[in-house]
Amino acid sequence: MNIEEIKNKNVKDPRKSRIEIFYEGKNITQNIHNQLLSCSQSDSINELDSLELTLENKEIYWLGSWFPQKGDILKTILILENWEIDGNIVVHDMGEFYIDSINFSGPPDVVNIRGISYDLNSDIVDKKENHVWENVDFKTIITEIAKNRKIELISDISFNRKYQRIEQKLQSDFDFLKSLCEEAGANLKLFNNKIVIFEEEKYEKKEPKINLKKSNISSYSFSTDDTDSYSSCTICYYDFKKKKKIEKKFFLKNRNSYKKKNKRDLFINEDKQITGKNKEEINKQLLEIAKKALRGKNKKEVKASVTFMGTEKLLSVGDTVILSDFANFSGKYIIDNLNINLFSYEITADMHKIMEMEVEVEE
């Protein structure tokens, strides 16, 4: 074996990432590879995901024969080669996006194309509806909306809140679902023609997708915030049997980050009748409402934003990660927002620290 053969044997193939871009089902990567300036994807809990392309427009093609149409489908494929294992190729389907925004600027001539994660031909986001449900539960409502919109429903929830009567008043189905999810302590996603509803509390218990050490992170920031956090919750509701308003108070047992107990109380004037055949059933539902409300308000006491190089495992919102080497800020976090630079596969993740929250009724 000569010197050149030894050199070639010991030099590993460099790791690289690349993207394939499809427009209305046609692979246009080769057509635009000299024009593409940036490509990024945003993924966010309770908001629409988006894909953004920025391209040179020197030849003015995008103002003429290539002018995009609203509602056309963009699709990206992320390909990782030799990323963590030499010779390994990993392919990620990043989903479909529907063009909703086209912006031109210059000089230099540039076009920015944005796609969002739901079909513009569906009116789930825009059409205002009036609807009344009686003697219904949360799962029935979300199932009915998904069926009416002909969208696949993926739900992973345990708290099936019950309603004697609930109204959708001049709200889009998306906004109505968001408000219901907030009350029920669930998160909502619209992606790839699917409605995804899940409880963050269940996802917090999942195994972390990645352990990020300080040395793996290119930039980071941490914050603690007490602006909208509470130590207790008071629910006021009308008891039709007793024909009077009743207040029930619940409190958090443990708030380790406070020197003295915070006395701030979250007041909920429950305008929807609490259902239950007896006192035990009513109290059980009140406790769940209080738990979800306090969790929703307090969960982002400790927040982090970190930027790092992506791994072969694709991350999504709702995934958990471990942050190491940050002293008091070390621990298990859950991802709220992701921004992925598909050119460099650099990821910026906004997340909050998972805190134990135990709620009890005040006797």
Side-chain angles (χ1 to χ4, degrees):
M1 183 179 291
N2 60 35
I3 293 175
E4 280 302 313
E5 286 176 326
I6 293 172
K7 284 182 179 178
N8 291 335
K9 184 177 179 64
N10 290 328
V11 172
K12 291 184 177 181
D13 290 333
R15 74 174 188 175
K16 57 185 176 181
S17 67
R18 58 187 174 89
I19 51 174
E20 300 279 326
I21 299 175
F22 295 79
Y23 186 100
E24 285 291 288
K26 181 182 178 181
N27 191 330
I28 62 168
T29 309
Q30 291 303 313
N31 303 77
I32 65 171
H33 77 280
N34 289 327
Q35 304 171 19
L36 194 59
L37 300 175
S38 67
C39 179
S40 63
Q41 185 170 326
S42 294
D43 186 8
S44 181
I45 285 178
N46 294 326
E47 299 296 336
L48 297 171
D49 296 348
S50 64
L51 173 72
E52 286 201 29
L53 307 178
T54 303
L55 305 107
E56 290 181 344
N57 193 30
K58 291 178 183 177
E59 306 299 328
I60 317 297
Y61 292 141
W62 294 100
L63 283 170
S65 58
W66 289 12
F67 195 93
Q69 298 297 305
K70 301 283 184 67
D72 280 354
I73 299 174
L74 284 171
K75 182 183 177 71
T76 55
I77 302 290
L78 174 66
I79 303 165
L80 306 173
E81 299 182 34
N82 310 305
W83 200 254
E84 293 172 12
I85 302 172
D86 192 37
N88 203 29
I89 297 176
V90 178
V91 179
H92 290 300
D93 183 344
M94 304 302 287
E96 291 186 345
F97 295 82
Y98 299 81
I99 294 175
D100 81 317
S101 173
I102 308 147
N103 295 295
F104 296 90
S105 62
D109 291 300
V110 168
V111 57
N112 180 269
I113 302 171
R114 187 185 77 157
I116 54 177
S117 58
Y118 86 99
D119 189 349
L120 295 180
N121 293 318
S122 166
D123 49 17
I124 188 171
V125 172
D126 301 314
K127 187 178 180 181
K128 308 299 182 187
E129 299 277 8
N130 287 303
H131 199 109
V132 176
W133 282 271
E134 293 184 339
N135 298 314
V136 71
D137 58 39
F138 180 55
K139 288 183 180 179
T140 300
I141 294 173
I142 62 178
T143 301
E144 186 176 320
I145 288 176
K147 184 178 179 181
N148 289 342
R149 297 297 176 201
K150 297 179 180 178
I151 300 176
E152 182 183 349
L153 172 65
I154 300 173
S155 75
D156 186 10
I157 55 173
S158 56
F159 178 40
N160 189 24
R161 185 167 178 179
K162 296 175 174 58
Y163 306 91
Q164 286 200 346
R165 178 183 171 88
I166 186 168
E167 292 184 55
Q168 178 180 354
K169 299 177 182 177
L170 279 178
Q171 286 177 290
S172 70
D173 284 344
F174 182 65
D175 287 338
F176 181 60
L177 283 174
K178 277 177 69 175
S179 64
L180 284 184
C181 287
E182 185 177 346
E183 288 180 346
N187 289 312
L188 170 68
K189 292 287 298 176
L190 276 186
F191 187 72
N192 267 4
N193 286 321
K194 297 180 180 68
I195 298 173
V196 182
I197 296 175
F198 65 94
E199 287 177 336
E200 200 168 277
E201 192 172 355
K202 295 176 74 172
Y203 278 56
E204 288 176 355
K205 295 178 174 62
K206 292 188 175 183
E207 286 295 312
K209 279 283 188 75
I210 186 174
N211 187 335
L212 287 173
K213 297 182 179 180
K214 193 175 181 180
S215 57
N216 305 131
I217 296 172
S218 57
S219 68
Y220 59 86
S221 64
F222 295 92
S223 64
T224 62
D225 192 355
D226 185 52
T227 305
D228 196 24
S229 63
Y230 300 84
S231 61
S232 61
C233 172
T234 299
I235 302 177
C236 178
Y237 69 99
Y238 188 79
D239 189 312
F240 282 84
K241 289 183 179 179
K242 296 180 179 179
K243 296 184 178 178
K244 66 176 183 178
K245 281 196 169 183
I246 294 178
E247 287 189 0
K248 203 86 173 178
K249 190 166 185 175
F250 303 83
F251 68 94
L252 282 170
K253 284 185 67 177
N254 52 331
R255 298 198 77 193
N256 297 328
S257 57
Y258 286 83
K259 184 175 181 180
K260 294 181 180 179
K261 192 169 183 180
N262 181 336
K263 299 295 185 183
R264 194 178 292 137
D265 184 60
L266 175 64
F267 184 79
I268 299 176
N269 189 14
E270 189 58 51
D271 58 349
K272 292 175 279 296
Q273 186 177 339
I274 303 298
T275 61
K277 297 176 183 177
N278 51 47
K279 183 180 178 181
E280 287 72 24
E281 286 189 8
I282 289 173
N283 286 340
K284 185 178 179 181
Q285 182 156 193
L286 288 170
L287 177 61
E288 286 299 320
I289 292 169
K291 280 181 181 178
K292 302 299 184 185
L294 286 170
R295 169 174 284 277
K297 291 294 185 181
N298 293 347
K299 67 182 182 180
K300 294 188 180 180
E301 277 184 27
V302 180
K303 294 182 285 189
S305 180
V306 297
T307 300
F308 55 96
M309 194 61 68
T311 65
E312 287 186 354
K313 287 182 180 179
L314 192 65
L315 292 175
S316 302
V317 293
D319 284 339
T320 61
V321 302
I322 298 292
L323 295 186
S324 302
D325 307 325
F326 290 103
N328 286 336
F329 286 109
S330 294
K332 191 177 183 183
Y333 287 72
I334 188 165
I335 298 173
D336 300 307
N337 303 287
L338 279 175
N339 187 274
I340 306 173
N341 182 331
L342 293 174
F343 260 11
S344 62
Y345 195 35
E346 188 175 64
I347 296 173
T348 297
D350 298 324
M351 56 187 80
H352 68 268
K353 194 173 186 180
I354 297 171
M355 315 287 277
E356 292 296 327
M357 295 186 195
E358 191 175 348
V359 180
E360 286 192 349
V361 63
E362 186 173 78
E363 298 299 338

